[in-house]
Amino acid sequence: MSPKLFGTDGVRGLANGVLTAELALDLSAAAARVLADRGEFEGHRPLAVVGRDTRISGQFLEAAVVAGLASAGVDVLLLGVLPTPGVAHLTGSLGADLGVMLSASHNAMPDNGIKFLARGGLKLDDAIEAEIERHLHEDWDRPTGGSVGRVRPHPTAVDEYAAHLDQTITRSLTGLTVVLDCAEGAAFEAGPRALEAAGATVIAIHAEPDGLNINDGCGSTHLGPLQRAVLAHGADAGFALDGDADRCLAVDHEGNVVDGDQILAVLALALAETGRLVRNTVVATVMSNLGFVKAMKSAGLGVRQTKVGDRYVLEAMRVSGYSLGGEQSGHVIMSDFATTGDGILTALHVLERMAATGQSLQSLAGVVTRLPQVLVNVTDVDKSRTDEDAVVAAAVAEEEAALGDSGRILLRPSGTEPLVRVMVEAETQDEAQAVADRLADVVKRQLSLA
């Protein structure tokens, strides 16, 4: 186990390997104690909501989390299987002091994770997560008698979340046929229900989870089945969610992939037209395709770029009050309606844009002309010297000068491994590959650990 448990998206690892029932119980009890010490529960009985995706390990981890919270005097509402954004929404709407989601998102079934949400459905501050870790395995004064927490189910969670989603759009989706790949995950009920209630004809695929098949050859990491289903059913569009449905990618009526950059562009233009795009700026990461940036510039919109990771996008949005942000991978955050990425919400608003304009998704997404993008991972290098080596810097400058405005280069040290990612965009795939390979050779030669 790493000395630091919390990563960028909670605590995640092999269920019953790294992430044991004992750890889940201890984390939850520690979280309750930390929040109590900070005065978050002052003057009322504390309340937590707990949701999970469809992984079979979520059942025993849920029991452990609930035991930890209740043993610390926190009342618990069991939401059952619900997407991460659904748990975030209900944390706020039910006035809970804490939300807990059990999921490993797009990871394979054997993994699982624990994510804590603060009051209002916001991500728990890093400082509080660090404090929780410090309180693990400590002796503490446990409540007894009537002071222990009560546990009860909240059977209307899916209905409440789906109703919230439908209230965010103002136009019926009647006449649109959509395929929704639920990834055998947390949105297998909420996703189809929300889209159907909005008026769309929905063909749901991979919506029969058995606890073992989540993300297995389906969802946003495997778009082939969605592409085939859209063509087979003659659908207007298709959307693929991941295991906890906090992101989605799309497919147009001809089976072409529509990535997160294109989805962001579609939504940015829709919000800008109605004056709801704050400061006419959309937040994206440095990995967003240059074609997206150019499309936004030509539309008179700004792009605020952050480090890679939806947490950094969300941070920038919260600090500056922006209303739209996201990643190429399909995390899209619409802060007027959600505190986190929400794949179902994203699909609804893209479909609403199609209904409002009468245009196909292919036409709407065509505002972005994606430049070929090549990513090369250079392993076994001293990533700490990426920005310091003069030879590397000179090589990058030379290649950037040759590309001019028609391309882009990004060298990004990995956050977890001894490698540097070399990303190049250019007018052709061959050119991007050639530049990436040349720079990768320089990085390997100059920064090698050998």
Side-chain angles (χ1 to χ4, degrees):
M1 174 66 68
S2 167
K4 187 176 186 299
L5 285 173
F6 284 93
T8 58
D9 207 24
V11 178
R12 190 177 293 186
L14 180 64
N16 222 26
V18 170
L19 187 55
T20 62
E22 293 86 351
L23 177 58
L25 190 152
D26 207 5
L27 277 168
S28 301
R33 301 199 315 273
V34 166
L35 292 177
D37 289 345
R38 294 171 60 91
E40 299 288 338
F41 303 157
E42 199 68 39
H44 66 279
R45 285 190 66 91
L47 175 68
V49 297
V50 179
R52 60 182 177 87
D53 68 20
T54 55
R55 294 164 213 268
I56 194 168
S57 60
Q59 297 175 13
F60 81 77
L61 289 172
E62 176 188 69
V65 165
V66 170
L69 292 171
S71 73
V74 178
D75 293 340
V76 180
L77 292 179
L78 293 171
L79 305 181
V81 173
L82 196 69
T84 291
V87 175
H89 169 69
L90 289 178
T91 300
S93 67
L94 295 173
D97 301 286
L98 181 67
V100 186
M101 178 64 187
L102 298 165
S103 177
S105 189
H106 59 278
N107 286 28
M109 181 276 296
D111 288 347
N112 215 322
I114 301 177
K115 180 189 293 187
F116 293 107
L117 299 167
R119 188 180 288 123
L122 299 170
K123 182 187 179 298
L124 212 58
D125 288 344
D126 292 349
I128 298 178
E129 290 181 343
E131 198 173 342
I132 291 171
E133 288 196 34
R134 289 195 295 271
H135 281 72
L136 289 175
H137 316 305
E138 286 183 348
D139 290 330
W140 54 291
D141 294 329
R142 300 169 183 268
T144 58
S147 296
V148 301
R150 281 84 159 165
V151 182
R152 61 188 188 275
H154 189 70
T156 58
V158 171
D159 293 332
E160 291 174 36
Y161 172 51
H164 154 69
L165 291 171
D166 287 322
Q167 289 167 4
T168 69
I169 63 172
T170 59
R171 182 180 293 270
S172 172
L173 304 183
T174 300
L176 290 174
T177 298
V178 58
V179 179
L180 184 66
D181 186 339
C182 300
E184 308 291 8
F188 80 100
E189 286 186 297
R193 189 172 304 179
L195 268 61
E196 287 171 352
T201 298
V202 181
I203 297 103
I205 63 174
H206 302 121
E208 298 179 351
D210 60 11
L212 305 174
N213 57 3
I214 186 170
N215 298 321
D216 187 8
C218 57
S220 61
T221 54
H222 301 85
L223 293 176
L226 177 63
Q227 292 171 300
R228 292 190 290 273
V230 166
L231 294 175
H233 291 280
D236 296 293
F239 296 88
L241 307 172
D242 62 344
D244 69 336
D246 66 349
R247 70 177 182 176
C248 79
L249 295 174
V251 168
D252 68 24
H253 69 285
E254 291 186 349
N256 302 303
V257 174
V258 177
D259 69 11
D261 287 338
Q262 293 168 296
I263 290 171
L264 269 182
V266 170
L267 297 179
L269 293 173
L271 291 176
E273 278 187 15
T274 55
R276 292 181 295 149
L277 186 66
V278 173
R279 287 192 287 283
N280 278 334
T281 298
V282 58
V283 181
T285 76
V286 293
M287 287 298 289
S288 282
N289 195 279
L290 181 59
F292 164 76
V293 177
K294 287 184 173 183
M296 294 297 92
K297 184 177 180 179
S298 67
L301 305 181
V303 178
R304 164 76 183 278
Q305 289 187 287
T306 72
K307 292 192 290 185
V308 175
D310 62 321
R311 67 177 300 174
Y312 301 112
V313 172
L314 187 55
E315 275 179 19
M317 293 178 68
R318 288 178 61 187
V319 168
S320 302
Y322 294 121
S323 52
L324 179 67
E327 294 187 283
Q328 196 178 63
S329 61
H331 281 113
V332 174
I333 304 165
M334 304 185 75
S335 62
D336 288 342
F337 311 114
T339 59
T340 184
D342 189 327
I344 307 171
L345 179 73
T346 300
L348 280 169
H349 282 260
V350 170
L351 290 167
E352 183 184 39
R353 181 64 169 170
M354 292 170 62
T357 61
Q359 295 184 55
S360 68
L361 178 56
Q362 184 179 81
S363 176
L364 292 170
V367 67
V368 176
T369 301
R370 289 181 292 186
L371 271 68
Q373 188 179 82
V374 171
L375 183 66
V376 177
N377 290 332
V378 187
T379 58
D380 300 319
V381 292
D382 181 0
K383 61 184 181 183
S384 67
R385 295 194 291 116
T386 304
D387 298 327
E388 301 173 359
D389 189 273
V391 175
V392 171
V396 170
E398 182 180 349
E399 296 289 1
E400 285 180 332
L403 288 172
D405 293 335
S406 64
R408 186 168 69 104
I409 296 168
L410 177 66
L411 266 58
R412 188 165 65 90
S414 168
T416 58
E417 303 171 80
L419 62 84
V420 172
R421 307 186 196 281
V422 178
M423 190 277 286
V424 177
E425 291 170 347
E427 289 186 337
T428 69
Q429 186 76 22
D430 288 345
E431 184 182 15
Q433 188 69 60
V435 173
D437 288 342
R438 287 196 296 269
L439 287 176
D441 288 342
V442 174
V443 170
K444 185 70 172 179
R445 185 170 62 251
Q446 292 298 121
L447 307 183
S448 177
L449 291 172

